[in-house]
Amino acid sequence: MKLLEITGGNQLTGTIRISGSKNSSVALIPAAILSDDEVTICNVPEISDTDVLCDILNYLNVENKRASESIVINPKNLENKEISETYSKKLRASYYFMGALLGKYNKAVMFFPGGCPIGTRPIDQHLKGFEALGAKVTIEKNKYTIEADQLKGANIYLDVPSVGATINIMLAAVKAEGKTIIENAAKEPEIVNIATFLNNMGAKVTGAGTSTIKITGVKHLKGCFHEVIPDRIEAGSYLIMGALCGNRLKIDNIIPEHLESLISKLTEIGVELEMGTDYIIVSKGENYKSTSIKTAVYPGFPTDLQQPFTTLLTQCNGKSKVVETIWENRFMHIPYLCEMGADITVKNQTATIIGSNKLTAKEVVATDLRAGAALVSAALIAEGTTLITNVEHILRGYESIVEKLSSVGAKIKSREI
Ligand code: UD1
């Protein structure tokens, strides 16, 4: 077990280079098995989630080589086997092997996926999509057997614009016979990145980034070279930390358009931002104003930034509100922020924050990935040394967080306990 030890009160200055997107990479790695030849994916972050997916590739006998920022995957010798519960439970994105194996071999057997405990996280929309394509889904306890004689294109309307279901259905449909239309698809930049990858392999996917995605099935997918987009959530998290204690902190290698909802909220409360084409320089401003946010699907305010943004709201003057509409259990960081001195109450899916309050170091728990980012943000401005346990959650999604923050002046150490 690891913990983070952070002593607050230091200004962050210098440059943080943003890594490739976690949520793209965790779909691209399983998607690569759809190819008949070798594919190279570059700008893949070295985080535990991508490591686990490579373990699953090894288990399926898929050759994969990790260079510093890229992965070369050759699925030529893949053995389509049942993916055990131990692997499936390690992360949410294990479920992309359902779509990819089904798409390539007409059969996938695996268990209900894991991931952060931020809600019940059903996968009914994924299964509905597979069934519409002609697959039969059998569920025994937690085990899912998904099988088809032949997948056939279909019209699929998603009841919720789920990121995971949209990607999984794309993976299953790219080699299906005929045309598939996904209506009410999710529009996140990661979906566009996956569709581009599939098209680079020879798939015919149009409309990614809009709510209607059209896929015409092809027989073969070939090798390609593909680049992962920058991680907008990692970038957003560091922008928030810069708003809390930055002094011309440069958040580099980003696509600012992917962060528009956050940028407009930061500007609204009074954060100083200097915009570049692929960077933003952020400095802590004075007398931040309170505001309200409501999480929504892209391009709305991302639920994944709600938790670190709540830490920033503790430093705004007056009453702010955070309404969480995507995940029912995403306020687990709040009791810890309150222990550190924040004034926050939660009722139903709304947190009310009264600020601004001085924060003091405490021993806190990263209950999930982005709760961890919220607590790191709080620790950076708290008086004293905060200890954060359950750091494994944070390491699932933030590449080299200790090194990145240390390099810009934070006092942060990771140690084994
Ligand atoms: C992805 C992201 C996660 C982010 C979330 C929302 C990855 C690996 N994770 O998660 O960081 O918080 O998008 O932006 O990319 N739902 C159903 N049925 C389904 C699927 C989803 O009801 O079959 C609901 C969920 O309960 C939730 C909403 O749809 O309320 C959004 O979920 P979804 O977009 O699927 O999130 P994930 O893909 O799991």
Side-chain angles (χ1 to χ4, degrees):
M1 286 250 289
K2 276 193 174 143
L3 65 72
L4 285 180
E5 204 176 278
I6 302 173
T7 305
N10 295 289
Q11 274 194 344
L12 304 185
T13 189
T15 300
I16 292 183
R17 189 179 183 279
I18 297 307
S19 304
S21 159
K22 163 180 114 51
N23 287 351
S24 268
S25 301
V26 297
L28 291 166
I29 295 170
I33 66 166
L34 284 160
S35 166
D36 292 332
D37 327 298
E38 184 175 280
V39 298
T40 301
I41 309 172
C42 70
N43 203 26
V44 178
E46 285 195 45
I47 47 176
S48 57
D49 268 10
T50 53
D51 291 344
V52 174
L53 291 169
C54 289
D55 290 343
I56 300 179
L57 289 180
N58 288 334
Y59 166 75
L60 295 173
N61 202 31
V62 175
E63 262 176 47
N64 62 96
K65 273 181 278 166
R66 193 66 157 105
S68 65
E69 284 184 343
S70 60
I71 301 188
V72 181
I73 299 172
N74 192 335
K76 214 174 51 207
N77 300 321
L78 189 147
E79 289 166 37
N80 189 8
K81 298 187 281 190
E82 172 179 316
I83 298 176
S84 72
E85 187 157 25
T86 319
Y87 280 132
S88 306
K89 265 172 85 172
K90 280 196 174 155
L91 78 170
R92 192 76 198 156
S94 59
Y95 62 21
Y96 290 130
F97 279 104
M98 283 183 180
L101 288 170
L102 181 67
K104 185 153 180 181
Y105 299 102
N106 288 341
K107 183 169 181 180
V109 186
M110 62 176 287
F111 289 76
F112 194 79
C116 287
I118 51 180
T120 47
R121 310 193 81 172
I123 58 167
D124 57 304
Q125 299 302 303
H126 305 235
L127 303 177
K128 168 176 134 171
F130 299 150
E131 283 174 335
L133 294 170
K136 182 168 179 271
V137 179
T138 313
I139 308 171
E140 292 164 77
K141 288 194 180 156
N142 267 345
K143 181 169 152 184
Y144 291 73
T145 303
I146 308 159
E147 241 178 318
D149 291 333
Q150 165 144 45
L151 294 171
K152 290 211 167 110
N155 282 19
I156 299 160
Y157 177 85
L158 295 180
D159 300 333
V160 281
S162 151
V163 173
T166 303
I167 294 176
N168 237 341
I169 296 168
M170 288 199 300
L171 301 184
V174 276
K175 296 186 78 185
E177 192 185 295
K179 193 164 190 166
T180 297
I181 301 178
I182 310 174
E183 300 274 16
N184 198 28
K187 295 186 276 199
E188 271 69 1
E190 293 75 22
I191 310 250
V192 180
N193 201 215
I194 312 309
T196 308
F197 176 59
L198 294 170
N199 286 341
N200 286 346
M201 293 199 291
K204 290 190 175 155
V205 181
T206 58
T210 76
S211 52
T212 305
I213 298 179
K214 295 184 179 159
I215 303 156
T216 305
V218 295
K219 285 218 153 46
H220 299 285
L221 293 176
K222 58 182 188 330
C224 73
F225 181 89
H226 182 74
E227 186 161 354
V228 180
I229 53 171
D231 194 312
R232 64 193 167 98
I233 306 300
E234 187 200 18
S237 305
Y238 287 124
L239 276 174
I240 291 167
M241 294 178 207
L244 284 165
C245 53
N247 178 10
R248 294 195 58 76
L249 178 69
K250 184 176 183 182
I251 311 301
D252 202 11
N253 185 41
I254 62 170
I255 301 176
E257 294 74 31
H258 290 173
L259 285 154
E260 266 167 10
S261 56
L262 174 67
I263 291 166
S264 60
K265 280 292 165 186
L266 291 174
T267 309
E268 187 185 314
I269 65 171
V271 179
E272 292 172 28
L273 299 175
E274 193 180 307
M275 305 294 297
T277 47
D278 64 351
Y279 66 85
I280 300 175
I281 296 173
V282 55
S283 298
K284 176 183 180 313
E286 295 299 325
N287 294 320
Y288 287 150
K289 284 187 287 190
S290 56
T291 189
S292 293
I293 58 162
K294 186 174 185 176
T295 63
V297 292
Y298 188 82
F301 195 95
T303 168
D304 289 355
L305 287 175
Q306 173 265 101
Q307 291 157 296
F309 197 79
T310 302
T311 303
L312 180 57
L313 292 176
T314 68
Q315 303 307 300
C316 295
N317 297 312
K319 190 200 266 188
S320 298
K321 279 193 189 290
V322 173
V323 184
E324 172 58 58
T325 70
I326 313 280
W327 302 115
E328 63 274 23
N329 196 20
R330 220 166 195 188
F331 284 131
M332 287 188 290
H333 55 305
I334 302 285
Y336 296 109
L337 289 180
C338 290
E339 275 181 37
M340 293 176 81
D343 178 353
I344 308 176
T345 45
V346 177
K347 198 166 174 205
N348 301 324
Q349 288 307 105
T350 302
T352 304
I353 302 110
I354 314 279
S356 103
N357 282 326
K358 222 169 155 346
L359 301 185
T360 315
K362 283 275 161 357
E363 194 172 325
V364 293
V365 183
T367 51
D368 59 85
L369 170 58
R370 309 301 171 187
L375 296 173
V376 169
S377 307
L380 289 172
I381 55 161
E383 194 179 301
T385 301
T386 298
L387 298 181
I388 306 179
T389 54
N390 264 23
V391 171
E392 281 67 20
H393 277 303
I394 302 177
L395 303 180
R396 287 189 27 232
Y398 289 90
E399 184 178 46
S400 309
I401 186 167
V402 173
E403 293 76 5
K404 286 188 184 186
L405 282 172
S406 303
S407 75
V408 293
K411 274 207 175 145
I412 175 169
K413 277 193 295 200
S414 143
R415 63 178 164 86
E416 292 289 336
I417 46 170

